[in-house]
Amino acid sequence: MHSARRLLLLVAASAVALTAAAPALAQQAVPTDPFAHAASDIPADSNVRFGTLPNGMQYAVLRNATPPGQASFRLRIDAGSLMENEDQLGLAHFMEHMAFNGTTNIPENDLLRILERLGLAFGADTNAYTGFDETVYMLELPRTNDETVDTSLRIMREQVSEALMAPEAVEAERGVIVGEERLRNTPGLRSVKAQLALLAPGQRISQRLPIGDLEIIRNAPRERFVEFYNAYYRPSRATFVAVGDFDVDVMEAKIRGAFESWEPKAADGAEPDLGTVAPREPGTSILVEPGIQSSIQLNWTKAPDLDPDTAGERRSNLITNLGLAVLNRRLGEIARGDNPPFVSASAGQSTLANSLDIATISASFNPGGWKPALETIEQAQRRLVQYGVSDSELQREITEYRTSLENAVAGAATRRTPALASGIVGSVNGRTVFSSPQTNLELFNASVEGLTAAQVNQSLQTVFTGGGPLALVVTPVEIEGGEAAVTAALEASRQTAVAAPAAQAELEWPYTQFGAAGTVAERREIAEVGATVVTFANGVRLTVKPTDFRDEQILVSVSTGIGEQGLPTDRATPQSLAPFFVASGGLGRLTFDEMNRVLNGHVYSAGFSVGDDAYSFSGATRPADLGLEMQVLTAYLTDPGLRAAPFEQIKGLFPQIIAQQMATPGGAFGVQASGLLASGDKRQSLPTAEEVASWTIADARAGIIEGLSTGPIDVVVVGDVTVDDAIAAVAPTFGALPRRGPNAQPAPGATELRFPAGTAEPVRLTHNGPAEQTLAYIAWPTTDAVDDRTEARRISMMTEVLKLRVLEVIREQQALAYSPGTGGSASDTYRGYGSVSIRAEIAADKVDPFYAAVASIVASLKEAPPSEDELNRARLPVIESLRRAQAGNEYWMGQLADVAEKPSDVEQTLTHISDLEAVTPADIQALARQYLRDDTAWKAIVVSAQAQQ
């Protein structure tokens, strides 16, 4: 078949030929990559208005009111690092930065400030990214009034057609890019480089990671930027996407008005020669990288499939993917079994940046366990190909897939605007049709009608073929015998006969009866927040908030006990690992995988956490499965499996987790400073590998069961639900349980947390990464948000002003760090415990300049209040983000968590925005003087252990 690009260009050329006789359209430019539905029998989503300007720029406009009054803009340029010449390595990404650093009509420092005044925060709402084959600029608009929309369109137009790339701005930004390279130089990135070198030798993609070449970043002259910009930033390579709560006709007219006059400044840049996939024999490569998760993968490569997205192509891919879904489920069950050969494993196939197709099966394992991991995945792959999938396995995957698509149809009217905008951009980059959920379901049903296991098994014969298998082992420690040992083990495994998988027994869901259904003792409305509190006769409290934010989405949380306050402060306990093994341990009468089998086709979930003052289960479901969700969570509370297998798995994995964290300054800070910032409280400290190794499943079971056994039960339900339906689901589950006693007494000293005393000199910590990487940190104690949250909110505004100045001084003016962070916290459990902090990952010789910059920033805030404009630029994005969150179920789950017990929380919720709006510049200055004191500041630096050798 024709390649996608060739076929699309033929269609576009035909369209031009048909209209050539009309003078008004004779100059219509051809987009570099027309929308995929132009060459497909799959209809595009009819709610999206697709169009092309005379200059070749494409646009897609979609009205969507979730959340209301907001919009998402995306501007995609069909160019990334693959388009760079040898003397431009890294400049596609560098150019993305320069688009924010001054344009013809917007001075360098004004662009972000203009957006901040409209309520857009840098990073959260104003961002961009550069990939191999695209660069995308993104704005999240808090409002869709003319001022916000027109200003945002003007800025995005200026970015792609009027970037100045002033020499002084380029020079200033070099240090920022170098800082980003330093930040991203992690074991994970080095692993990706090794993988590309193995899979695509000689191909362009293996030599074009977007971060680029440091020498070029430091020294490339301005004209190199201009060459790339003029060649690839052009209307025929641009696609603008607008999704949000607006009139489509009006938005389309605004897009045309902003971009129709854009004309290219030079000839179109050349399409890169991506190279060809070389024939490959089986081979092995090993990357030894301290701090990396141990993993092994088997890869097969072949020329990329660039056929256009059609119904036939989707059906073919679906059939194969259903077979791979069976394989992935088998691998997951192996990982969750007793004494598993790996921590996790998966298989899949993909096309990488139009360069090659890859089929992969991979596994993560604990150090030293490479051989059983290799043997298991290799034989699982051959077992799939040799014996195929069973009819029951296939039907299970079809049911699960169909359920997901049906949910998407049911919830289509309340899809989230940012996700839709990114989805349209993704379809452009992937050259796929942006089809509606209903179309996707119809295509799926047509594809699986009459589908047999034999057909799936036939398609699986071609998946793991091509060049290979190419084995890549990534390990933090040397492998005895090296590549020869891995190759020999792989060959031996391939000679081992495999047996057909055993059939699995039919199961039933046993958790349907928990006693006589509970009765309602009290029902109380909280009209101010649209919630109802229901108390059952057994003391269970249910808080319900019906919403119309998301169709078919219901969130549930269940809390009981006193959480960390029941744990000792002077020693670590297995409860710190509970989130990793409670849910995956399944139930007393069903393992986790047996639950998945028996509940196939239902929508439910279960998570577990240990909070400051409660143990919590959580889940998400749909209206049809709310009763089942309550049965699942009640079963977890009353009959948790707490099996040894997942507990032993996290124990075995824990040393690797520590090693991975210690490989970067940020990770090492998290490992070592979490306890230090709580004055050594062991509940806040990450346990050591030695402590974890000493724990037993018996210890873990005893602690969890004891913690779950006492205290009132609070259930919170938010989403597409009625109060009566929530009552009907809780009454026969939690409402049917025996009345529970009061909460346990806290452990001695467990009701307090203390911030550490100030330090004259930074506490010195170490990491195991490159010598040039360092982290510097400073924090000041503040206050809590236990009862009245007003002061904590005022401090948060001071923190936001600090953030603006930290970005301006530490990133933009001094280029000390790519992503300096400013944060704040205020405990809602521990009185007096809160802090404000500034941190940055910097070069090893920039510690003193960092602290000098922080001192200058803090002093300036104490000496004079910020301007009203600066305060608003800090405040408005926070308020708009809060308003956006208030249109989501997740926000209300958090706000209503304690309202049944603490009615005063209602007022605290209602006054959040007004509290922020009431803060004045003078307040910010006073808060800085009160809290940002030299004598209370706690400092730490994290330096490389290599630098001390």
Side-chain angles (χ1 to χ4, degrees), residues 336 578-587 591-593 606 636 642-643 646-647 649:
R336 288 183 289 272
F580 299 99
F581 69 82
V582 171
S584 57
L587 302 170
T591 67
F592 181 84
D593 292 302
Y636 265 111
L642 301 178
R643 287 177 169 80
F647 179 72
Q649 185 180 73

Side-chain angles (χ1 to χ4, degrees), residues 34-105:
F35 289 116
H37 57 259
S40 176
D41 56 354
I42 300 172
D45 190 328
S46 60
N47 292 313
V48 182
R49 181 175 296 177
F50 297 93
T52 305
L53 301 180
N55 59 12
M57 175 175 162
Q58 298 181 134
Y59 60 87
V61 184
L62 172 62
R63 184 183 185 278
N64 189 69
T66 307
Q70 298 171 31
S72 295
F73 284 178
R74 305 286 187 268
L75 180 48
R76 177 185 181 271
I77 300 297
D78 186 32
S81 59
L82 288 174
M83 282 68 175
E84 295 166 345
N85 295 326
E86 290 296 327
D87 59 358
Q88 294 176 325
L89 301 185
L91 296 196
H93 169 247
F94 203 145
M95 187 59 246
E96 169 214 313
H97 281 243
M98 294 310 303
F100 290 91
N101 278 278
T103 66
T104 301
N105 300 296

